[in-house]
Amino acid sequence: MTARILDGKAIARELRAELASEIAALKSRGVTPGLGVLLVGDNPASRSYVTGKKRACEEMGIYSAEICLPAGAGRADIMAAVQSFNADERIHGVLVQLPLPDASIEQDVIAAIRPDKDVDGFHPISVGRMMLGLPTFLPCTPHGVLQILKRSGIRVAGTHVVVVGRSHIVGRPLANLLSQKSDLGNATVTMCHTGTRDIGSFTRQADIVVAAAGHPRTVTADMIREGAVVIDVGVNRVEDPSTDKGYRLVGDVDFEAVKQKASAITPVPGGVGPMTITLLLYNTVAAAKNSLHK
Ligand code: GUN
């Protein structure tokens, strides 16, 4: 079997077209959605994500503001930047790019974001509401994965999904959303992680495998059942002197081998990545809409 390639770029375009009319409607009521992004330090991957977010906002007519602080910025400077976005009426959504150089303050910084501006869905209130199935901002990458599955016509309800990875940003919230009794979920979910013995023994039982481990070739062909659907969340830079930048992006899945076995697979790049940014725009527009009712 050769897998159908699930085109995240095309699905993202479809979603952005839907968003464009909502943005136009908001503007006609005098509201331009606005996103505030805080970047601390000079991690090249983070820098490039932030540039991508800014470009996406420009393309969609969303106002964006960026605060960049040096790697050595202290807790007080970071908190002050968050507070300035919290207080700014032009900003409906606030995003603190992770990881922070000082990981020990991440949870405090996230908790300082106004929950009604928490477009990443990382604030403890957002996480709690998500787990309870209450209306809230869903984290962008997990929501992107669910939208790829839905918009590709892949049935999730009643299937066995194995999520490889337990990060707060992807694996854990995704496993939770997939297991919820909702139109995007209702699956039986297994979560594998670095403490799992023989991950392949679990993934081989899966109808859908989501790779979100953060390492190249975590999921190889021998770990996939013939005909399974494979979603690759990984974005890893591997050295490649033949490219201009000296590196290329690969996912967590051994794409060439796995695509011979799977029924459908997301590529890297061009799979989950474009969906993440689009769902961030979606949350920013939702936050702007909510602001009309305050
Ligand atoms: N770092 C990697 N993914 C994300 C994300 O979705 N949001 C933020 N804020 N930082 C990230």
Side-chain angles (χ1 to χ4, degrees):
M1 180 177 285
T2 302
R4 165 160 72 117
I5 306 296
L6 303 173
D7 184 350
K9 262 197 209 161
I11 300 170
R13 261 198 304 276
E14 180 185 305
L15 241 162
R16 285 187 195 195
E18 293 166 22
L19 275 181
S21 53
E22 298 203 29
I23 294 168
L26 277 165
K27 286 188 174 175
S28 73
R29 299 182 67 176
V31 176
T32 298
L35 175 69
V37 175
L38 173 59
L39 175 65
V40 185
D42 40 26
N43 178 319
S46 292
R47 178 75 257 167
S48 105
Y49 290 141
V50 167
T51 305
K53 286 163 191 170
K54 193 174 163 189
R55 191 181 313 132
C57 285
E58 278 165 14
E59 283 165 10
M60 296 294 294
I62 292 175
Y63 169 71
S64 78
E66 205 177 297
I67 298 178
C68 297
L69 296 176
R75 183 190 171 92
D77 295 329
I78 295 172
M79 288 298 192
V82 171
Q83 295 306 345
S84 77
F85 282 146
N86 279 348
D88 188 336
E89 286 190 355
R90 294 166 302 177
I91 299 291
H92 303 96
V94 177
L95 179 143
V96 177
Q97 184 63 38
L98 302 176
L100 290 176
D102 178 2
S104 73
I105 62 169
E106 270 179 13
Q107 287 306 321
D108 288 349
V109 173
I110 289 168
I113 297 170
R114 254 174 62 172
D116 60 337
K117 295 191 177 190
D118 175 36
V119 286
D120 252 336
F122 294 166
H123 191 287
I125 288 180
S126 307
V127 176
R129 291 184 65 86
M130 178 203 72
M131 284 200 63
L132 294 166
L134 297 171
T136 189
F137 299 110
L138 296 182
C140 304
T141 303
H143 194 191
V145 171
L146 298 179
Q147 288 295 332
I148 287 178
L149 292 168
K150 180 182 173 189
R151 289 167 187 257
S152 304
I154 293 167
R155 194 171 55 89
V156 170
T159 65
H160 180 201
V161 185
V162 174
V163 178
V164 184
R166 58 179 158 188
S167 72
H168 289 168
I169 293 180
V170 187
R172 194 166 292 275
L174 181 58
N176 187 274
L177 288 165
L178 284 163
S179 68
Q180 288 187 21
K181 195 168 183 177
S182 72
D183 63 341
L184 294 172
N186 223 8
T188 302
V189 181
T190 301
M191 191 169 16
C192 295
H193 44 72
T194 48
T196 304
R197 259 184 284 139
D198 192 3
I199 292 177
S201 69
F202 295 95
T203 54
R204 276 188 290 276
Q205 297 177 50
D207 302 297
I208 301 173
V209 174
V210 182
H215 295 284
R217 292 179 53 84
T218 300
V219 173
T220 48
D222 59 300
M223 296 167 73
I224 297 297
R225 191 176 56 74
E226 190 78 32
V229 171
V230 178
I231 305 291
D232 191 351
V233 181
V235 188
N236 306 293
R237 288 182 178 205
V238 295
E239 268 189 49
D240 185 346
S242 73
T243 64
D244 288 348
K245 293 178 176 166
Y247 68 87
R248 67 194 157 84
L249 296 181
V250 300
D252 291 354
V253 174
D254 182 2
F255 181 81
E256 291 303 327
V258 170
K259 84 166 187 229
Q260 305 302 330
K261 242 175 146 181
S263 61
I265 187 168
T266 58
V268 177
V272 176
M275 292 298 287
T276 296
I277 293 192
T278 302
L279 271 305
L280 174 68
L281 305 178
Y282 175 95
N283 281 349
T284 304
V285 170
K289 278 198 277 187
N290 292 344
S291 75
L292 289 171
H293 308 297
K294 287 202 188 106

Coordinates of all heavy atoms in Angstrom, one line a residue, residues 227-267:
G227 N -2.0 -0.3 6.7 CA -3.3 0.5 6.5 C -3.5 1.5 7.6 O -4.6 2.2 7.6
A228 N -2.7 1.6 8.6 CA -2.9 2.6 9.7 C -2.7 4.0 9.1 O -2.1 4.2 8.1 CB -1.9 2.3 10.8
V229 N -3.3 4.9 9.9 CA -3.1 6.4 9.6 C -2.0 6.9 10.5 O -1.9 6.6 11.7 CB -4.4 7.2 9.8 CG1 -4.2 8.7 9.7 CG2 -5.5 6.7 8.8
V230 N -1.0 7.7 9.9 CA 0.1 8.1 10.7 C 0.2 9.7 10.6 O 0.2 10.3 9.5 CB 1.4 7.5 10.1 CG1 2.6 8.0 10.9 CG2 1.4 6.0 10.2
I231 N 0.2 10.3 11.8 CA 0.3 11.8 11.9 C 1.6 12.1 12.5 O 1.9 11.6 13.6 CB -0.9 12.3 12.7 CG1 -2.3 11.9 12.2 CG2 -0.8 13.8 12.8 CD1 -2.7 12.5 10.9
D232 N 2.4 12.9 11.8 CA 3.8 13.2 12.3 C 3.8 14.6 12.8 O 3.7 15.6 12.0 CB 4.7 13.0 11.1 CG 6.2 13.0 11.6 OD1 6.5 13.4 12.7 OD2 7.1 12.7 10.8
V233 N 4.0 14.8 14.1 CA 4.0 16.2 14.7 C 5.4 16.7 14.8 O 5.6 17.9 15.0 CB 3.3 16.1 16.1 CG1 3.3 17.5 16.7 CG2 1.8 15.6 15.9
G234 N 6.4 15.8 14.6 CA 7.8 16.2 14.8 C 8.3 17.3 13.8 O 7.9 17.3 12.7
V235 N 9.1 18.2 14.4 CA 9.8 19.1 13.5 C 11.3 19.1 14.0 O 11.6 19.7 15.1 CB 9.3 20.6 13.6 CG1 10.0 21.5 12.6 CG2 7.8 20.6 13.5
N236 N 12.1 18.4 13.4 CA 13.5 18.2 13.8 C 14.5 18.8 12.8 O 14.3 18.5 11.6 CB 13.8 16.8 14.1 CG 12.8 16.1 15.1 OD1 12.8 16.4 16.2 ND2 12.0 15.2 14.5
R237 N 15.4 19.5 13.2 CA 16.5 20.0 12.2 C 17.6 19.0 12.2 O 18.2 18.6 13.2 CB 17.1 21.3 12.7 CG 16.1 22.5 12.6 CD 16.7 23.8 13.0 NE 15.8 24.9 12.8 CZ 16.1 26.2 12.7 NH1 17.4 26.5 12.7 NH2 15.2 27.1 12.5
V238 N 17.9 18.5 11.0 CA 19.0 17.6 10.8 C 20.0 18.2 9.9 O 19.6 18.8 8.9 CB 18.6 16.1 10.4 CG1 17.8 15.4 11.4 CG2 17.9 16.2 9.0
E239 N 21.3 18.1 10.2 CA 22.3 18.7 9.3 C 22.2 18.2 7.9 O 22.0 16.9 7.7 CB 23.7 18.3 9.9 CG 24.2 19.3 10.9 CD 25.7 19.0 11.2 OE1 26.5 18.8 10.3 OE2 25.9 19.0 12.5
D240 N 22.3 19.1 7.0 CA 22.3 18.7 5.6 C 23.1 19.7 4.8 O 22.6 20.8 4.4 CB 20.9 18.6 5.0 CG 20.9 18.0 3.6 OD1 21.9 18.0 2.9 OD2 19.8 17.6 3.1
P241 N 24.4 19.5 4.6 CA 25.3 20.4 3.9 C 24.9 20.8 2.5 O 25.3 21.8 1.9 CB 26.7 19.8 3.9 CG 26.6 18.6 4.8 CD 25.1 18.2 4.9
S242 N 24.0 19.9 1.9 CA 23.6 20.1 0.5 C 22.5 21.2 0.4 O 22.2 21.6 -0.7 CB 23.1 18.8 -0.1 OG 21.8 18.5 0.4
T243 N 22.0 21.7 1.5 CA 21.0 22.7 1.5 C 21.6 24.1 1.8 O 22.7 24.2 2.4 CB 19.9 22.5 2.5 OG1 20.5 22.6 3.8 CG2 19.2 21.1 2.4
D244 N 20.9 25.2 1.4 CA 21.4 26.5 1.6 C 21.6 26.8 3.1 O 22.6 27.4 3.5 CB 20.4 27.6 1.1 CG 20.4 27.6 -0.4 OD1 21.3 27.0 -1.0 OD2 19.5 28.2 -1.0
K245 N 20.6 26.3 3.9 CA 20.7 26.6 5.4 C 21.6 25.7 6.1 O 21.9 25.9 7.3 CB 19.3 26.5 5.9 CG 18.3 27.6 5.4 CD 16.9 27.4 6.0 CE 16.0 28.5 5.6 NZ 14.6 28.2 5.9
G246 N 22.0 24.6 5.5 CA 22.9 23.6 6.2 C 22.1 22.6 7.0 O 22.7 21.8 7.7
Y247 N 20.8 22.7 6.9 CA 20.0 21.7 7.6 C 18.7 21.5 6.9 O 18.3 22.3 6.0 CB 19.6 22.1 9.1 CG 18.7 23.3 9.2 CD1 17.3 23.2 9.2 CD2 19.2 24.6 9.2 CE1 16.5 24.3 9.2 CE2 18.4 25.7 9.3 CZ 17.0 25.6 9.3 OH 16.2 26.6 9.4
R248 N 18.0 20.4 7.2 CA 16.6 20.3 6.7 C 15.7 19.8 7.8 O 16.2 19.4 8.8 CB 16.6 19.4 5.4 CG 16.9 17.9 5.8 CD 17.2 17.1 4.5 NE 18.0 16.0 4.8 CZ 17.5 14.8 5.3 NH1 16.2 14.7 5.4 NH2 18.3 13.9 5.6
L249 N 14.4 19.9 7.6 CA 13.4 19.5 8.6 C 13.0 18.1 8.4 O 12.6 17.8 7.2 CB 12.2 20.5 8.6 CG 12.5 21.9 9.0 CD1 11.2 22.8 8.9 CD2 13.2 22.0 10.3
V250 N 13.0 17.3 9.4 CA 12.4 16.0 9.3 C 11.4 15.8 10.5 O 11.6 16.5 11.5 CB 13.4 14.8 9.3 CG1 14.4 15.0 8.1 CG2 14.2 14.8 10.6
G251 N 10.5 14.9 10.3 CA 9.5 14.6 11.4 C 10.1 13.6 12.4 O 11.3 13.3 12.4
D252 N 9.2 12.9 13.1 CA 9.5 11.9 14.1 C 9.3 10.5 13.4 O 9.6 9.5 14.0 CB 8.6 11.9 15.3 CG 8.9 13.1 16.2 OD1 9.9 13.9 15.9 OD2 8.1 13.4 17.1
V253 N 8.8 10.5 12.2 CA 8.5 9.3 11.5 C 9.5 9.0 10.3 O 9.8 10.0 9.6 CB 7.0 9.4 10.9 CG1 6.7 8.1 10.1 CG2 6.0 9.5 12.1
D254 N 9.8 7.8 10.1 CA 10.6 7.4 9.0 C 9.7 7.4 7.8 O 9.2 6.4 7.4 CB 11.3 6.0 9.3 CG 12.2 5.6 8.1 OD1 12.3 6.3 7.1 OD2 12.7 4.4 8.2
F255 N 9.5 8.6 7.2 CA 8.5 8.8 6.2 C 8.5 7.9 5.0 O 7.5 7.3 4.7 CB 8.6 10.3 5.8 CG 7.5 10.7 4.8 CD1 6.2 11.0 5.2 CD2 7.8 10.7 3.4 CE1 5.3 11.4 4.3 CE2 6.8 11.1 2.5 CZ 5.6 11.4 2.9
E256 N 9.7 7.8 4.4 CA 9.8 7.0 3.1 C 9.4 5.5 3.3 O 8.7 5.0 2.5 CB 11.2 7.1 2.5 CG 11.6 8.4 2.0 CD 10.6 9.0 0.9 OE1 10.0 8.1 0.2 OE2 10.4 10.2 0.9
A257 N 9.8 5.0 4.4 CA 9.4 3.5 4.7 C 8.0 3.4 5.2 O 7.3 2.5 4.7 CB 10.4 3.0 5.7
V258 N 7.6 4.3 6.0 CA 6.2 4.2 6.6 C 5.1 4.4 5.6 O 4.1 3.8 5.6 CB 6.1 5.1 7.9 CG1 4.6 5.2 8.3 CG2 7.0 4.6 9.0
K259 N 5.4 5.3 4.6 CA 4.4 5.6 3.6 C 4.1 4.4 2.7 O 3.0 4.4 2.1 CB 4.7 6.9 2.8 CG 5.6 6.7 1.7 CD 5.6 7.9 0.8 CE 6.3 7.6 -0.5 NZ 7.3 8.6 -0.9
Q260 N 4.9 3.4 2.7 CA 4.7 2.2 1.9 C 3.7 1.3 2.7 O 3.1 0.4 2.1 CB 6.0 1.4 1.7 CG 7.1 2.1 1.1 CD 6.7 2.7 -0.3 OE1 5.9 2.1 -1.0 NE2 7.3 3.8 -0.6
K261 N 3.4 1.6 3.9 CA 2.6 0.7 4.8 C 1.3 1.3 5.2 O 0.3 0.7 5.4 CB 3.4 0.3 6.0 CG 3.7 -1.2 6.1 CD 4.5 -1.5 7.3 CE 4.2 -2.8 7.9 NZ 5.0 -3.1 9.0
A262 N 1.4 2.6 5.4 CA 0.2 3.4 6.0 C -0.8 3.6 4.9 O -0.5 3.5 3.7 CB 0.7 4.7 6.6
S263 N -2.1 3.9 5.3 CA -3.1 4.3 4.3 C -3.1 5.8 4.1 O -3.5 6.2 3.1 CB -4.5 3.8 4.8 OG -4.8 4.4 6.0
A264 N -2.6 6.5 5.1 CA -2.5 8.0 5.0 C -1.5 8.5 5.9 O -1.3 7.9 7.0 CB -3.9 8.6 5.3
I265 N -0.8 9.5 5.5 CA 0.3 10.0 6.4 C 0.5 11.5 6.1 O 0.3 12.0 5.0 CB 1.6 9.3 6.0 CG1 2.8 9.6 7.0 CG2 2.1 9.5 4.6 CD1 4.0 8.7 6.9
T266 N 0.9 12.3 7.2 CA 1.2 13.7 7.0 C 2.7 13.8 6.7 O 3.6 13.2 7.4 CB 0.9 14.5 8.3 OG1 1.6 14.0 9.4 CG2 -0.6 14.5 8.5
P267 N 3.1 14.7 5.8 CA 4.5 14.9 5.5 C 5.1 16.0 6.5 O 4.4 16.7 7.1 CB 4.5 15.5 4.1 CG 3.2 16.2 4.0 CD 2.2 15.5 4.9

